[in-house]
Amino acid sequence: MVEQKFTRIMDAVSENPSSFQPKRPALSWGVKIKRKLKSAAPFLGRFRPLVGQCCHQCTPESLGLKLLCNTPPLGFQNLTCVNETHTGYRGWLVRRVCCLLFVWGCEVHPSPAGDRRHRVHGSERVRQTLVPACSPEMMELVMPEVRGHLSRLLALTQTFISPCLLRLVSWMLLKVFSLMFCSVQVNRNQLAALHRATQLKSPLVYVCVRQSGIDHTLICLTLFCHNLRVPYTIYPAHIRQSWLRSILQRLGVILLPEGIESERDAEMDSLYSPVMTSFTGELLREGASLSVGICASGGQGGQWLARVHQAISDGLVPDVSIVPVGISYDCLPRYFTRPQAGVMSALRFAISLLKGDHRGSVRIHFAQAFSLKEMCESGKCRVDGGRPLQDLLLTAILQDRMDSIFSQKDVSWLLPPAVMPELSPAARQQTIALTLHLMYSSTTTMAVMSTSLVSCLLLHKHRKGVRLSVLCRDICWLLEEVLFRNTDVGYGGSLVGLVLHALSLLRPYLLLAAAPPTGEPIIAPRPDPDSLLILSQHCDLLTHVFIHEAVGACAVSAMLSEVIGCGGGGDPEFNVVLGQEELTEKSLQLTHLLSPGFIPPCQTAHGFALDVVDSMVRCGVLVMEEVQKDTPVCDFMKRQGVLSWAVSDNPDQSSDSDCEEPDARSYKLSQPSQCPELLFFLCSLLSVRLRALCWALESLHYLPSPITERDCVSQLHTHLKNRAQLDKAHYESSSIDLARLVLRTFIDLGVLTEDRQRGDVYLDVSPLFSQCAHKAKLLQFFKQFIYN
């Protein structure tokens, strides 16, 4: 009965969340909660943090321009809400066609193709590629086929922006997005900063992390509605319909060549890279803007940043301004999560609109523009000198030696040598560093949505269910913690409205029950794979927000597990003194396992680990402890790798040969009401990834060998799903993205070896980890960071 009442409440909120007013007795629980929580509004919610400032280490001069300064707040604008005030006219007829008048009045910067095709074809880079290294007889046989392929590639250079078609499509998109989303919010201050950035006379390149197929559409529509130059969009989709390709090319969308299925296949083509590099340089020389998406898991899209940088090196443009863009969704559109398009996908999307499936909000943040030339010349943003992950961690895992973990991790796989082979090693390393920095900047610019807060609390703190009033209280706490970390949120309004809006969007993934005797709703996540995977997807951004605390909590958990192991088992003992050096080493080991995007390249892994320890003190999990001389100190021996207890009142009892000096700083777990509960919550944020590593390693012997990368990802994904189904728990650790992350980690650790042959990469289990003893040590290394 209570579930039916709550369903009716959710239906009313989803229809009109802003004007929802309780009128029937079925809504009495909402009124009671609202009365109880009137004074629980977070005090930090009144102030929005200033997000999007450029890096003070890599681009201090761009930061000094103060393009995104603390001007009086201009507020937010709902992009889909267009009325007569946005036009220069008034009247009843204007109110009915105001959207059309507004679109027709927006400024469009023309960008004709002109003779761009001839300039690209005659560029030095393309001409050198066309000279074949073969005999004249072979040249006569090969050149006709090469010319035909080159003609298909040069057809992409005819992409241009048609003003009339752009206005028509923008009007249609405003109508579609008004049905698809409750609102599309943009920050007026950030758009004013973009207008100031255009006065620098440098082309703008917008960079976002790929989440959905409409990311670039939202960026272009926002810029069009605010009289900014609409960028050419790099969209690596394979579209077969010629009419659709023609329309998109007239809107400035740069697609994959005809006949090529994927972005990877295109980059393997020897002609594609020179043509696209010359094409990018010509666009920037014309003053056009670009919109580029970067894949967070594999770094795809970084090669376009190399092409932009190459235009500066070739002298085509003096400088380029980079603008990181963060896009946050209440609910990610399900039909636009892959870079594919077609008639059937558009039809399914239209049906979903009629059903009202997508009524969440969207928040778009434009970070401050910074100089690409300054970042490359500053020397702070660099990744050269990195060592493979197996060199960093295997000695610590197999031999308990920590002398190698303080180096930087090599991430050269983000831009492998097969992609753009003409790049010099220095330019390749510079592009990788730039890609990492933009992945970090775009992610930190994103706003945390209400569905992320609710999903995170239900999945990582109240997995067995929680009363609605307790959930509201925890949302207040989590909201203040997010704002304290200089991360904006993508919502506003009362607490009750916020919770009801989030629950209405997450309703298909939740279970509801009544708590006797009051009948207050109890909410829990549905224990099925699809629901838990969706909730976990909403939690990804909060993992980035709390990454310092999550790494620190897992490091503390690993040290406590060693205390239990040394003491012979039993319940965990929280009244233990932890040394700073050992805590930093544990944090550093886990830091090396993080995927790209969590740490900017201008910060070392060791510096990040030191910040982790400080953050644990700031959030109240650890307190600094002054160790008395007669107090036993828990000393983690570096050379032996075991625990030993020693009393420090008589230093003569221990010698330098078998004992290290205690750390200058020691820490102890605090004992407030939220600790160790807070510690467990933070540990749970990274347990999703760590558990996937453990499951995949346990099922490693099921993999056939040799096996291609694509088949290996499929096999690992199947093993993860089977293991979650066997345990009937933790389905969130069985996603396809985690399978890709596991594969990349295993290759970097040397668990799987690569063999490139016949144009493909084959994987096999290394002889080292075919041994059960080494495999067990690696498994224990992963498990130590998971609090059980």
Side-chain angles (χ1 to χ4, degrees):
M1 183 64 182
V2 174
E3 183 170 354
Q4 295 176 355
K5 294 179 181 179
F6 194 81
T7 302
R8 289 198 296 270
I9 296 173
M10 296 297 103
D11 291 336
V13 175
S14 61
E15 290 175 2
N16 193 0
S18 60
S19 61
F20 171 70
Q21 295 292 337
K23 297 180 180 180
R24 295 178 292 182
L27 309 183
S28 59
W29 64 269
V31 176
K32 292 180 181 179
I33 295 176
K34 187 173 182 179
R35 290 175 181 174
K36 290 180 181 179
L37 298 177
K38 273 185 178 180
S39 60
F43 66 95
L44 286 176
R46 303 174 185 175
F47 308 99
R48 291 198 176 274
L50 182 64
V51 299
Q53 288 185 307
C54 53
C55 182
H56 68 281
Q57 294 188 53
C58 303
T59 54
E61 295 182 7
S62 298
L63 184 62
L65 294 176
K66 296 184 178 179
L67 297 177
L68 190 63
C69 52
N70 284 311
T71 55
L74 302 177
F76 292 84
Q77 176 191 358
N78 182 7
L79 202 65
T80 60
C81 182
V82 180
N83 51 44
E84 61 179 327
T85 61
H86 295 88
T87 67
Y89 309 95
R90 296 293 183 271
W92 65 271
L93 182 60
V94 174
R95 286 192 291 271
R96 284 156 178 78
V97 294
C98 57
C99 186
L100 187 61
L101 291 175
F102 167 71
V103 168
W104 199 259
C106 289
E107 181 181 0
V108 177
H109 300 267
S111 182
D115 62 341
R116 189 188 302 144
R117 176 177 180 142
H118 299 288
R119 297 199 305 268
V120 172
H121 184 269
S123 63
E124 183 67 21
R125 182 176 288 104
V126 175
R127 284 192 290 108
Q128 289 181 355
T129 308
L130 290 176
V131 177
C134 56
S135 62
E137 293 79 9
M138 289 296 298
M139 187 184 304
E140 294 180 359
L141 296 176
V142 173
M143 285 307 294
E145 183 179 352
V146 172
R147 289 194 186 98
H149 181 51
L150 179 63
S151 178
R152 290 191 295 270
L153 293 178
L154 291 176
L156 299 177
T157 64
Q158 294 298 101
T159 302
F160 67 100
I161 296 178
S162 171
C164 293
L165 185 59
L166 179 62
R167 296 182 193 276
L168 176 62
V169 172
S170 298
W171 172 75
M172 295 176 59
L173 288 175
L174 287 173
K175 295 297 183 181
V176 170
F177 286 156
S178 64
L179 297 174
M180 187 174 177
F181 303 111
C182 293
S183 64
V184 180
Q185 299 286 339
V186 293
N187 192 320
R188 294 177 182 268
N189 288 77
Q190 295 172 351
L191 291 168
L194 278 182
H195 278 282
R196 290 191 289 269
T198 57
Q199 299 174 4
L200 300 177
K201 305 301 181 181
S202 296
L204 297 179
V205 176
Y206 302 90
V207 182
C208 65
V209 174
R210 296 178 185 174
Q211 302 177 78
S212 166
I214 64 173
D215 293 340
H216 297 291
T217 307
L218 289 168
I219 293 174
C220 294
L221 183 62
T222 302
L223 298 175
F224 170 79
C225 292
H226 290 86
N227 298 319
L228 290 161
R229 181 183 289 273
V230 175
Y232 283 81
T233 301
I234 312 298
Y235 188 63
H238 175 63
I239 299 179
R240 297 180 178 88
Q241 295 82 4
S242 59
W243 62 270
L244 185 56
R245 291 182 64 91
S246 178
I247 292 176
L248 292 177
Q249 284 187 315
R250 282 167 171 77
L251 294 173
V253 180
I254 302 174
L255 303 168
L256 289 177
E258 293 186 30
I260 296 182
E261 296 289 336
S262 65
E263 185 179 15
R264 179 181 177 181
D265 296 337
E267 294 295 341
M268 295 298 106
D269 187 356
S270 59
L271 277 178
Y272 178 80
S273 181
V275 171
M276 289 298 104
T277 302
S278 300
F279 180 33
T280 303
E282 290 296 331
L283 288 177
L284 296 175
R285 192 174 66 86
E286 295 171 6
S289 300
L290 294 178
S291 179
V292 181
I294 301 176
C295 180
S297 59
Q300 289 87 357
Q303 68 272 15
W304 291 97
L305 300 176
R307 294 179 177 121
V308 172
H309 184 238
Q310 194 66 38
I312 300 178
S313 302
D314 294 343
L316 296 177
V317 287
D319 197 2
V320 172
S321 296
I322 305 293
V323 183
V325 184
I327 304 177
S328 303
Y329 299 90
D330 264 336
C331 288
L332 200 63
R334 68 181 69 177
Y335 297 114
F336 294 95
T337 54
R338 294 182 180 180
Q340 299 294 335
V343 177
M344 293 305 298
S345 62
L347 182 60
R348 287 193 296 267
F349 169 63
I351 295 175
S352 69
L353 284 182
L354 296 177
K355 292 181 179 179
D357 290 346
H358 307 294
R359 290 298 295 168
S361 300
V362 181
R363 173 66 62 83
I364 306 175
H365 280 176
F366 292 90
Q368 179 180 348
F370 63 86
S371 168
L372 176 59
K373 185 177 182 180
E374 180 191 1
M375 171 168 280
C376 295
E377 292 180 352
S378 66
K380 298 291 185 180
C381 183
R382 52 191 303 175
V383 293
D384 53 335
R387 300 176 60 185
L389 184 61
Q390 55 181 329
D391 293 348
L392 298 178
L393 291 182
L394 285 190
T395 54
I397 297 171
L398 304 180
Q399 304 173 16
D400 293 328
R401 290 175 50 194
M402 304 297 173
D403 52 342
S404 62
I405 64 172
F406 297 95
S407 302
Q408 291 294 100
K409 181 173 66 172
D410 177 51
V411 287
S412 58
W413 54 268
L414 286 173
L415 190 64
V419 178
M420 298 187 67
E422 69 273 12
L423 281 180
S424 64
R428 187 173 300 275
Q429 294 294 327
Q430 185 66 64
T431 302
I432 294 173
L434 179 62
T435 303
L436 287 172
H437 210 303
L438 286 172
M439 289 170 61
Y440 174 80
S441 300
S442 298
T443 304
T444 54
T445 306
M446 294 180 186
V448 176
M449 309 301 284
S450 59
T451 50
S452 298
L453 292 179
V454 174
S455 300
C456 186
L457 290 171
L458 291 177
L459 195 62
H460 297 295
K461 192 174 183 182
H462 303 296
R463 197 179 185 97
K464 295 183 179 180
V466 59
R467 292 176 182 265
L468 190 58
S469 56
V470 177
L471 179 63
C472 293
R473 181 199 65 193
D474 287 347
I475 286 177
C476 285
W477 161 75
L478 190 57
L479 170 62
E480 292 186 359
E481 294 293 331
V482 168
L483 294 173
F484 178 73
R485 285 156 180 81
N486 201 34
T487 302
D488 200 3
V489 292
Y491 51 83
S494 66
L495 178 63
V496 175
L498 159 68
V499 176
L500 291 179
H501 174 70
L503 293 179
S504 66
L505 295 174
L506 298 175
R507 180 178 56 180
Y509 320 116
L510 303 178
L511 290 175
L512 304 174
T518 61
E520 181 182 3
I522 294 180
I523 306 167
R526 286 186 180 273
D528 61 86
D530 293 337
S531 298
L532 293 177
L533 286 173
I534 292 294
L535 295 177
S536 178
Q537 187 180 28
H538 286 300
C539 299
D540 285 342
L541 184 57
L542 281 171
T543 304
H544 282 266
V545 175
F546 291 94
I547 188 60
H548 288 89
E549 293 79 7
V551 171
C554 291
V556 171
S557 175
M559 295 180 71
L560 293 177
S561 66
E562 292 191 18
V563 173
I564 298 172
C566 183
D571 295 332
E573 176 61 50
F574 296 104
N575 192 16
V576 178
V577 178
L578 307 175
Q580 182 189 28
E581 186 175 351
E582 290 76 23
L583 189 59
T584 303
E585 289 175 353
K586 288 292 183 184
S587 302
L588 190 55
Q589 293 174 23
L590 184 54
T591 299
H592 289 313
L593 290 178
L594 296 177
S595 56
F598 283 99
I599 309 174
C602 54
Q603 183 181 22
T604 63
H606 185 233
F608 179 84
L610 292 175
D611 291 342
V612 163
V613 179
D614 294 338
S615 67
M616 296 299 290
V617 177
R618 285 196 303 267
C619 71
V621 174
L622 296 179
V623 293
M624 192 173 295
E625 179 79 2
E626 292 186 4
V627 182
Q628 304 296 330
K629 290 184 178 297
D630 57 347
T631 303
V633 179
C634 183
D635 183 19
F636 292 80
M637 304 297 291
K638 274 189 173 183
R639 285 172 289 201
Q640 284 78 11
V642 298
L643 286 169
S644 63
W645 292 87
V647 180
S648 57
D649 57 350
N650 189 0
D652 295 334
Q653 292 181 356
S654 57
S655 62
D656 293 336
S657 60
D658 57 359
C659 180
E660 298 272 348
E661 284 288 330
D663 291 336
R665 291 184 182 180
S666 299
Y667 300 94
K668 194 175 183 180
L669 265 70
S670 59
Q671 299 296 324
S673 59
Q674 289 188 338
C675 187
E677 182 182 357
L678 176 60
L679 178 69
F680 303 154
F681 168 72
L682 295 173
C683 285
S684 181
L685 293 177
L686 284 178
S687 64
V688 178
R689 304 161 188 262
L690 293 169
R691 190 178 296 108
L693 288 170
C694 294
W695 286 356
L697 186 62
E698 290 173 345
S699 61
L700 199 62
H701 57 280
Y702 292 115
L703 288 179
S705 59
I707 185 173
T708 63
E709 280 193 12
R710 184 175 300 177
D711 293 339
C712 188
V713 170
S714 178
Q715 291 278 349
L716 289 175
H717 187 209
T718 302
H719 291 321
L720 293 179
K721 291 190 295 183
N722 292 341
R723 178 57 189 271
Q725 193 67 38
L726 182 64
D727 293 351
K728 297 189 180 301
H730 305 299
Y731 292 102
E732 65 275 11
S733 296
S734 60
S735 68
I736 185 66
D737 291 332
L738 286 178
R740 296 190 184 99
L741 174 65
V742 165
L743 176 61
R744 186 70 257 169
T745 304
F746 282 176
I747 293 176
D748 291 346
L749 276 174
V751 178
L752 297 174
T753 58
E754 293 180 304
D755 182 19
R756 300 183 180 273
Q757 51 180 295
R758 297 188 300 274
D760 209 339
V761 179
Y762 289 85
L763 303 174
D764 198 357
V765 180
S766 67
L768 181 64
F769 287 96
S770 298
Q771 305 176 24
C772 295
H774 292 160
K775 183 179 173 182
K777 286 185 178 181
L778 181 59
L779 182 62
Q780 181 58 35
F781 176 77
F782 292 148
K783 284 186 174 181
Q784 67 174 335
F785 297 111
I786 304 177
Y787 179 80
N788 188 359

